[in-house]
Amino acid sequence: MTSTDTRDVTAAMGRFGVSPQAWGMIALALTVSIWAAFALSARALSTSTLLPADAALLRFGVPLVVLAPALWRRRSRIARVRPAAALKIVCGAGVPFFLAAMYGGSLTSAAFVGSIVPGMVPLFVSALMVAKGRGLPRGSQAAGLALIAVGVVVLVWRHVVPLNGDVLTGSAVLLIASGLWALYTVGLREVDLDPVGSIGLLCLPSFAVIGLLVLTGLLPTGIAGAAGGDIALFLVVQGLGVGLCAGLLYAFAIRRLGAERSSVVGSLSPVLVVLLAVPLLGESPALTVLIGVPLITAGVLLANRRPRAAALTVTPDAQNPVPSLRPKVPADA
């Protein structure tokens, strides 16, 4: 969003008599709900008449259609993005990430998708930072990362003894998806694009790749014979929700509430996934889930803590709206 757009939106909101902070909380609540819907849809795809390629076409195609005029105006800035940064974004949140998240979700549960994918991102980002020579995390960040690791171990432990190969394979694939999203997080910090431009940079090549895979027969498609209800569901959740609204709403919430407050509320999405999976998908959370998910959530909270003095130096913006270890799942996951 440009500064003019922001002023126009703020003026429009003021006419409803709601404070900017209240609008920020509304935007953040909607964002967290969309993140949870992503995890639920990853699990629901296994029983849907749609195939993964169909869901991917909706996920990356709908934002391109809706944002086409705005993306055309930003075409020169998108074209100037360095190839290395663009590759991180496209691989990290594009087709490889999407297919990994969907496949991992088909073998596990919504709770696993909602916890492992966003929960492990701070740990993977930290590892990438260490590899770049940034030094090891300390204090509350180190404690948070340790809690995340323990939470994931607790989550999968009941499937180790006795051995459940499908769930363990699915968990490993979800870890890959989380690592890819960490790569996307790092890539976003290397580009000078607003949220709309970032969506275009991600969706355009991703839609082209998934379209090519479908046309060549490497990925099967069943969208022609899919149930209308399934198409509508994934169009709304994946295309409009995850692909379009989540990134824009989260950037808006960051501007109104600040990075720290938004990251605290946003980290509650795994808990919401577990609660919603019970009535919507009929999942019954095991004791390991009830223990592991809160551990992961607490770990994300600790990993995002910043000393007050440091927090005063943070200037959130559309490209780096959160502190360095904050997972951006909710933006496009």
Side-chain angles (χ1 to χ4, degrees):
M1 263 184 208
T2 65
S3 59
T4 302
D5 293 335
T6 301
R7 287 194 297 269
D8 292 343
V9 171
T10 302
M13 293 186 306
R15 299 191 188 103
F16 292 95
V18 180
S19 69
Q21 290 74 24
W23 281 116
M25 287 302 298
I26 292 171
L28 187 57
L30 290 173
T31 304
V32 172
S33 299
I34 292 170
W35 294 348
F38 171 82
L40 295 171
S41 66
R43 178 59 180 162
L45 185 62
S46 62
T47 59
S48 168
T49 55
L50 289 173
L51 297 178
D54 305 324
L57 287 172
L58 295 172
R59 159 68 179 87
F60 300 113
V62 171
L64 291 178
V65 173
V66 175
L67 296 176
L71 293 176
W72 178 255
R73 292 193 297 269
R74 291 165 172 80
R75 63 190 184 281
S76 59
R77 294 188 66 182
I78 295 175
R80 288 197 299 267
V81 173
R82 292 185 300 107
L87 189 62
K88 291 176 184 177
I89 291 172
V90 174
C91 290
V95 175
F97 165 79
F98 186 85
L99 294 180
M102 294 297 113
Y103 181 64
S106 70
L107 295 177
T108 56
S109 67
F112 275 57
V113 179
S115 301
I116 292 178
V117 176
M120 285 293 292
V121 169
L123 200 150
F124 282 121
V125 170
S126 179
L128 290 172
M129 294 298 102
V130 171
K132 288 185 176 183
R134 299 288 180 87
L136 294 172
R138 299 179 179 180
S140 62
Q141 288 185 5
L145 297 178
L147 270 181
I148 291 170
V150 171
V152 172
V153 171
V154 171
L155 200 64
V156 303
W157 183 252
R158 68 185 289 263
H159 302 287
V160 176
V161 182
L163 184 66
N164 187 326
D166 285 345
V167 174
L168 293 181
T169 299
S171 299
V173 173
L174 292 177
L175 286 173
I176 293 174
S178 183
L180 288 170
W181 194 269
L183 191 66
Y184 166 72
T185 302
V186 173
L188 271 185
R189 299 185 186 125
E190 299 175 2
V191 301
D192 182 25
L193 293 173
D194 63 2
V196 173
S198 298
I199 291 173
L201 177 62
L202 168 64
C203 290
L204 185 57
S206 298
F207 184 78
V209 168
I210 201 69
L212 183 62
L213 292 175
V214 169
L215 290 175
T216 56
L218 294 177
L219 279 180
T221 177
I223 196 168
D230 289 343
I231 295 176
L233 174 65
F234 279 83
L235 187 150
V236 171
V237 172
Q238 291 287 353
L240 294 176
V242 178
L244 181 63
C245 295
L248 300 178
L249 287 170
Y250 193 60
F252 178 82
I254 289 290
R255 292 179 184 274
R256 292 292 173 268
L257 303 175
E260 184 175 357
R261 190 175 177 187
S262 296
S263 66
V264 169
V265 178
S267 65
L268 297 177
S269 63
V271 178
L272 182 60
V273 170
V274 173
L275 294 176
L276 290 177
V278 175
L280 296 180
L281 299 178
E283 293 186 1
S284 180
L287 179 61
T288 50
V289 172
L290 296 177
I291 296 175
V293 169
L295 285 175
I296 294 171
T297 300
V300 173
L301 289 173
L302 280 176
N304 280 304
R305 284 191 62 186
R306 292 293 185 276
R308 183 173 297 274
L312 293 176
T313 66
V314 175
T315 304
D317 55 50
Q319 297 317 306
N320 188 19
V322 287
S324 61
L325 294 182
R326 174 71 185 112
K328 287 193 176 182
V329 163
D332 292 300

